[in-house]
Amino acid sequence: MTVQFRSLEVGQEIGSATIPITRQDLVKYAGASGDFNPIHWNQAFAMSVGLPGVIAHGMFTMGAAVQLVSDWTGDPGAVVDYQTRFTKLVIVEDTTAEPAAAGAVVEVRGVIGAINSEEKTARVDLTVMYGGQKVLVKAQAVVKLP
Amino acid sequence: MTINPELQGRSYPAGDSFTVGREAIRDFARAVKAGNRAHYDVEAAQALGHRDLVAPPTFAIIVAQRADAQLIADPSAGIDFTRVVHADQRFIHHRPIVAGDELVAELHVDQVRAMGGGAMITTRAEIFTVDGERTATTTSSLLVRGEEQ
């Protein structure tokens, strides 16, 4: 692992990431997770239930955002607790005409919010933004480090 | 449809087991854009002390949502699947999930609260190996929108 517990301080930034999302990504996530709700891949269905368009699975955004933490610790198994509330929709535009373009872009930043010396754990607070608004609220990952 | 208020406190026993395969871990890792080698390469995972490929932190959602599906499909619960919105989610890992694990999930309905014309339902899945080793506890809240929401 690249990160040692004793090197950590509250307020320390662990880094940031930009996650481009296409509708193909949502189809891949549907297949890998088993969540085939059509609001995540079918525009007509999404609109018929009152949504503005195809939206990303909340679990896609949650799952993609924590990679910043896995990359930082070097061991994805170090994440012992991870939680969030889902507050805003991530609307993923149709980019069929421009396959290289992203249908949505999510920005992730991580800061150490708390340290527990007895447990040798640190809480990383993630800020996850889309279109200038927070899409995940109280997104916190607790990591156990050597 | 209305939510059955007597759901609170109900449990659903573990159903069929879920065998965690290496390709399922690789596919899920690619799907959440996870680049760590420990999701793809057995030697890289073992170098970190894991028995086999390690699952991404949210992989347990596959097992948890299968358990939730029992509740949603239960006609006595009164949940209209098309009106369900995922409100929050938590994963507590007692140990990382690795390829080769054979998992089962026991579902508990911890809370049912009326919200406008709908309801907020909080469920907890206790995930064990078939040998009884505790691996993860997941909790999720599902908002079932009322007819006018």
Side-chain angles (χ1 to χ4, degrees):
Chain A
M1 293 223 282
T2 53
V3 175
Q4 296 288 313
F5 179 77
R6 63 177 181 278
S7 68
L8 304 182
E9 285 172 41
V10 171
Q12 186 183 329
E13 297 240 0
I14 70 153
S16 61
T18 299
I19 305 168
I21 310 170
T22 62
R23 289 193 179 180
Q24 182 171 309
D25 289 329
L26 302 185
V27 172
K28 271 169 76 176
Y29 184 78
S33 68
D35 183 345
F36 290 100
N37 189 327
I39 60 175
H40 304 303
W41 51 269
N42 182 329
Q43 176 89 6
F45 184 88
M47 308 224 11
S48 78
V49 294
L51 292 167
V54 165
I55 61 164
H57 304 73
M59 284 308 308
F60 168 83
T61 307
M62 184 183 190
V66 79
Q67 298 318 316
L68 180 68
V69 181
S70 291
D71 290 344
W72 169 68
T73 62
D75 180 2
V79 178
V80 294
D81 188 345
Y82 180 36
Q83 65 177 311
T84 194
R85 290 210 306 266
F86 303 102
T87 46
K88 292 275 176 208
L89 303 176
V90 174
I91 300 152
V92 181
E93 304 291 345
D94 183 354
T95 53
T96 313
E98 227 186 318
V105 176
V106 167
E107 306 279 349
V108 184
R109 266 191 327 112
V111 174
I112 298 190
I115 287 176
N116 182 327
S117 307
E118 264 173 43
E119 303 275 336
K120 280 193 153 185
T121 57
R123 191 189 78 212
V124 178
D125 296 342
L126 295 171
T127 304
V128 183
M129 307 287 289
Y130 159 74
Q133 290 189 302
K134 278 191 184 186
V135 287
L136 301 184
V137 165
K138 204 184 166 208
Q140 300 178 339
V142 177
V143 293
K144 191 164 174 64
L145 297 170
Chain B
M1 255 165 119
T2 50
I3 307 300
N4 179 353
E6 286 170 16
L7 276 184
Q8 186 166 309
R10 191 180 283 191
S11 296
Y12 292 80
D16 293 340
S17 67
F18 179 93
T19 303
V20 180
R22 287 179 180 167
E23 297 309 332
I25 287 181
R26 291 177 179 131
D27 282 345
F28 191 90
R30 276 189 283 266
V32 292
K33 301 176 183 265
N36 195 291
R37 295 308 303 158
H39 301 311
Y40 302 96
D41 177 351
V42 177
E43 280 180 23
Q46 289 175 342
L48 293 171
H50 302 294
R51 191 185 69 223
D52 207 307
L53 295 186
V54 60
T58 63
F59 182 88
I61 197 67
I62 301 174
V63 181
Q65 285 184 340
R66 284 177 179 219
D68 272 340
Q70 293 182 83
L71 168 68
I72 292 168
D74 180 348
S76 75
I79 299 171
D80 177 356
F81 173 67
T82 67
R83 305 193 72 81
V84 169
V85 178
H86 199 177
D88 63 53
Q89 182 67 44
R90 181 173 190 177
F91 299 87
I92 296 171
H93 290 285
H94 309 298
R95 69 141 170 89
I97 292 172
V98 293
D101 281 342
E102 200 173 333
L103 303 176
V104 289
E106 210 176 73
L107 188 77
H108 302 270
V109 182
D110 281 347
Q111 198 176 43
V112 177
R113 277 182 299 151
M115 297 268 288
M120 184 77 90
I121 303 174
T122 302
T123 62
R124 170 170 50 90
E126 294 289 353
I127 302 176
F128 296 86
T129 65
V130 287
D131 301 324
E133 186 186 2
R134 245 176 135 206
T135 57
T137 301
T138 69
T139 52
S140 70
S141 297
L142 303 175
L143 173 67
V144 187
R145 291 180 296 153
E147 295 302 320
E148 298 306 316
Q149 290 173 281

